Amino acid sequence: MVLVADRVDPVAFLERGARPSRHTPANNGALRPKAPTPSLPTPAIARPTVWTASQQSFEEVVAAVEALESDQPRRPGHRREAVAGVRKLLDWLVRFPGESWQQRWHASSVDQAGKEWIDLIGGHEEGPVRRRTFTGAAWRLIVLDVIRPDYAWLYSNMASKLTFDRCEELRDPEGFALMRRLCQQDRRLQPTDSQFSLRQLARVLMHNGGRLADITLEDCIEAYRAQDGYSSRQHSHWYSLLLTAGILPADSPPTIYGASRKGQFTIEELVDRYDVQCRPIRDLFVAYLYERRPGMDYNSIRYLASKLVLLFWKDLEIHEPGINSLHLSDEVAQCWKQRLHDVVRYGANRVGQKRQDPYTVLMSVRAFYADLSHWALQDPARWAPWAAPTPVDSRDLAGMTKAQKHARSRMHQRTRELAPLLPRLVDAAIAHRDATRERLDAARRTAPGHQFTVAGQTLRRTAPVTDPTQGGTGRKGVIRAYADSEPDVVRNLTLEAERGFWGWALVEVLRHTGARIEEVLEITHRSFVSYRLPSTGEIVPMLQITPSKTDKERLLVIGPELAMVFAEIITHVRQGAEHIPLISRYDAAERTYSPTLPFLFQRRWGLRDHEITKNYVMRLLDELVATAKITNNDGSPAKFTPHDFRRIFATEAVASGLPVHITAKILGHESIATTQTYVAIYDQDVIDHHRAFIARRRALRPSEEYREPTDSEWDDFLGHFAQRKLELGTCGRAYGTGCQHEHACIRCPMLRPDPTQHDRLEQIIASLTERIAEAHDQGWLGEVDGLQVSLDAAQLKLVQMQRTATNLGIPTIRKR
């Protein structure tokens, strides 16, 4: 699949040492086209530079400052110093051109200087004194709305509490009083949270002017994107206050982070970001994508645009300057197809690897030409001028089947490697959840500053943090601890328990449902339905999977284990409340927000309830693999992805006897062929199916060719299998053969262990261990080697016994 970033540089990508064509001179640098402008930047909001307060004269501004300072119960000397500082700043600003103080402020370039703006002002005072004098004077002019600095200046220079209080009183006292009431009504907020929110709203007014009711969604996006060094988690509640107060439109995104994201591009924007030089071809791509859009989702149409416009036509424009026709010569088409096999990069983004599969681009281009030819018959006036022979023929796609087989083979091999490791991952998830929960419970029972010991590890619980500069560390309910040997390493036990729980929950849901990760993360409390069997009246719980990739919903049976998992998830998300919190999920593929729903996979982060994302799931799976030290056969660390659970589910479902078409229905596949590509066939499956084929073939041959066995032959046959029954399992030697290992069954690789004999094998291992110790004590060194070989073989058999199949949660079909 070819992935292309939204912001790209075609020249940096396509200048990759491609084969020169007859249209390209030797000096490629002279004909290198200019790079396109960055794609669709957010337009800057036009701000006024002239208003009444900013057009006051020098003495009027000084008089306003004197009136401002006279209201404060301070010593007269302090007020004189404040007025003197304002005079000095105005004396410096008046040197710059402009009709207002705001224009002079911009002409002085202090906004771009940030915290170092003091260095632009001359003076004989010492550094700290000069900074205190001029910074105080600047904040007084800002409070009086004489100047409105950029956010870079506002975020770089600290202001006192008095400055923000004055701004609230002078700018919008009623609006800020409403915001304070809303903060008091939200019990989740701490005083520092309310303080940060109100100060950010004050900064917005300092930059924009006006009142809180005048703030727009564009103003919020501008303020958020200008934040540098501020945590969006901690300092974004001001946006929620504007939403709650009804100042922002009702259809605004639920979070400022979501509002700052780019939404869906229009078809024109998708094409124009690649800077197509030939305008008629550009208009053709726009028209073509509009025709294709009704049958495709946004993500698919975006990728199609990147393949056709970028990897096809833009490549041709760069290497074939002046091209303006879809009718390509054989040489031009061949050079383009050759370039598709090179390493593909676009700016800093890797678009593809050493092209193992360029066929997705070739197929898209072939379909593009085929559609134009077909549509030319239906609407000649519109499409006939563009009908041309396709540059991609069947010979170019000859290797596609081979590439697909190789990809399928790699996928099946990955499934075979990960399926035996899944039980270890499940055990690791359970152990990690229990350990983190036990550690958190022990810390809760311990007073701050005291030690507690869990699982042999001694920690000391920290005191609650009240310093607002520590971010979210002082929030209610967050428990931290550290080891005395490492006092600088403070562990968030609440967060560890949270991650331990969600790691376990996601592993269980993924392996029991076989659903896609986007389908799992979109499960809500309303997704559970019940179905009454018409024959018995039994009620079967079902899970409704919302439409995702195939736009088809489906129902899955909820087994007892999966029902237990969902019950724990619901309890965990509720946190003692009556209902699950309502949140809105952001669809990264469609770039849209869902309605507010009780999603199960959500967690509290900072002041809000956030959805669990796919990236968070990947991090949790990586942590579990690292914690359990799960490795592949070659010793490399294993890597589980959410889709691996889906493939393992399909493989084990078919191997357990579930028909392929039923498995396809459970997985939501439109074609059984897709399900068959998911199923990894093991060698034993091949043997079983081959033996079944032989049986069917014999059934078709003349019966006289097969005689009935005699009684003695049948007794010998049954006796052979009776003799294969052993203490620890079954012997796997072939019929008619004797034991070739001198009945050393514990060492024999042909022994198939019986899981029900687990305790007996552990007794044998304990006995062998005691015998080895006794041999060492008595000096029977000749016995030690033989006993050690038997012990190693017995431990290997124990591992084989512990391998259990995944419980799919599929109900047992009753036999009538």
Side-chain angles (χ1 to χ4, degrees), residues 151 155 179 182-183 189 193-204 212 215-225 227 230-245 247-248 256-257 607:
Y151 284 114
Y155 290 139
M179 296 301 168
L182 294 178
C183 290
L189 295 182
D193 300 322
S194 302
Q195 176 183 344
F196 282 127
S197 300
L198 295 175
R199 288 188 176 185
Q200 177 62 16
L201 291 175
R203 290 189 185 94
V204 174
L212 291 177
I215 297 178
T216 64
L217 181 61
E218 290 73 17
D219 295 333
C220 296
I221 296 175
E222 180 190 23
Y224 175 78
R225 290 181 176 175
Q227 287 180 344
Y230 276 65
S231 169
S232 60
R233 172 176 60 86
Q234 179 183 348
H235 300 280
S236 60
H237 189 69
W238 55 273
Y239 178 82
S240 301
L241 293 177
L242 295 175
L243 278 177
T244 306
I247 295 176
L248 298 179
I256 182 59
Y257 177 65
L607 304 177

Side-chain angles (χ1 to χ4, degrees), residues 479-494:
I479 298 177
R480 285 174 164 77
Y482 62 91
D484 290 340
S485 59
E486 297 178 332
D488 296 335
V489 181
V490 180
R491 300 170 56 179
N492 189 333
L493 302 185
T494 304

Side-chain angles (χ1 to χ4, degrees), residues 340-341 353-359 399 403 410:
L340 272 181
H341 292 77
Q353 298 178 354
K354 181 75 176 170
R355 304 300 300 208
Q356 297 177 356
D357 184 16
Y359 300 105
R410 291 192 299 269

Side-chain angles (χ1 to χ4, degrees), residues 266-285:
T266 64
I267 296 296
E268 290 82 0
E269 291 169 343
L270 289 174
V271 175
D272 290 340
R273 60 181 177 167
Y274 301 124
D275 192 30
V276 176
Q277 299 298 319
C278 182
R279 189 69 183 181
I281 295 293
R282 176 263 181 195
D283 296 337
L284 171 64
F285 282 124

Side-chain angles (χ1 to χ4, degrees), residues 57 102 130 132 134 162 171 205 215 228 239 254 268 508 530 538 543 606 627 631 635 697 722 765 772 788 814:
S57 65
Q102 178 71 7
R130 185 169 70 251
R132 183 173 62 252
F134 286 105
L162 178 60
R171 298 293 184 90
L205 295 190
I215 297 178
D228 184 14
Y239 178 82
E268 290 82 0
E508 292 295 318
S530 58
E538 179 183 359
L543 174 65
T627 301
T631 59
R697 185 183 63 181
I765 292 175
I772 291 175
Q788 187 63 46
R814 297 181 178 179

Side-chain angles (χ1 to χ4, degrees), residues 722-743:
Q723 292 177 357
R724 294 202 309 178
K725 186 66 176 177
L726 304 172
E727 175 187 14
L728 297 177
T730 305
C731 179
R733 68 180 185 271
Y735 170 71
T737 61
C739 180
Q740 299 179 2
H741 303 90
E742 299 180 357
H743 299 283

Side-chain angles (χ1 to χ4, degrees), residues 487-706:
D488 296 335
V489 181
V490 180
R491 300 170 56 179
N492 189 333
L493 302 185
T494 304
L495 181 60
E496 289 181 3
E498 179 84 359
R499 297 175 75 89
F501 172 82
W502 284 119
W504 164 81
L506 286 164
V507 168
E508 292 295 318
V509 174
L510 287 171
R511 77 185 185 98
H512 283 299
T513 61
R516 303 178 182 91
I517 181 59
E518 58 270 17
E519 296 171 342
V520 170
L521 297 181
E522 291 178 358
I523 296 176
T524 69
H525 202 189
R526 305 173 185 174
S527 300
F528 303 105
V529 296
S530 58
Y531 175 71
R532 185 182 297 275
L533 296 177
S535 57
T536 62
E538 179 183 359
I539 296 179
V540 179
M542 308 285 285
L543 174 65
Q544 182 182 18
I545 300 296
T546 56
S548 60
K549 186 175 181 180
T550 58
D551 290 335
K552 290 184 179 180
E553 67 176 5
R554 62 187 190 277
L555 295 175
L556 302 181
V557 177
I558 300 179
E561 293 184 6
L562 186 59
M564 181 272 296
V565 174
F566 280 129
E568 291 204 26
I569 292 175
I570 293 172
T571 303
H572 181 84
V573 175
R574 279 179 175 173
Q575 293 292 335
E578 183 178 359
H579 301 289
I580 291 179
L582 301 178
I583 65 172
S584 179
R585 290 190 61 87
Y586 178 74
D587 190 336
E590 292 294 324
R591 298 189 177 186
T592 56
Y593 273 93
S594 71
T596 55
L597 295 170
F599 291 101
L600 295 189
F601 290 91
Q602 58 171 288
R603 61 192 182 103
R604 172 59 59 87
W605 183 250
L607 304 177
R608 296 184 61 256
D609 297 301
H610 292 260
E611 71 273 18
I612 291 178
T613 63
K614 182 178 179 180
N615 291 335
Y616 186 74
V617 175
M618 294 294 298
R619 291 199 300 270
L620 293 180
L621 293 178
D622 292 342
E623 288 180 5
L624 288 176
V625 171
T627 301
K629 299 180 180 179
I630 302 176
T631 59
N632 297 316
N633 296 331
D634 57 359
S636 61
K639 177 69 175 180
F640 277 89
T641 65
H643 215 70
D644 290 328
F645 293 89
R646 184 172 172 85
R647 296 191 182 102
I648 295 174
F649 179 92
T651 300
E652 295 188 348
V654 174
S656 64
L658 193 66
V660 176
H661 66 285
I662 300 297
T663 305
K665 186 70 174 179
I666 294 176
L667 296 178
H669 289 157
E670 293 183 342
S671 172
I672 295 180
T674 305
T675 309
Q676 291 173 338
T677 62
Y678 275 57
V679 177
I681 303 299
Y682 293 87
D683 293 340
Q684 185 61 38
D685 299 329
V686 175
I687 295 173
D688 293 341
H689 285 80
H690 185 255
R691 295 178 64 182
F693 165 73
I694 294 175
R696 291 193 300 269
R697 185 183 63 181
R698 286 183 174 179
L700 298 176
R701 296 187 65 83
S703 59
E704 59 270 12
E705 294 186 8
Y706 302 95

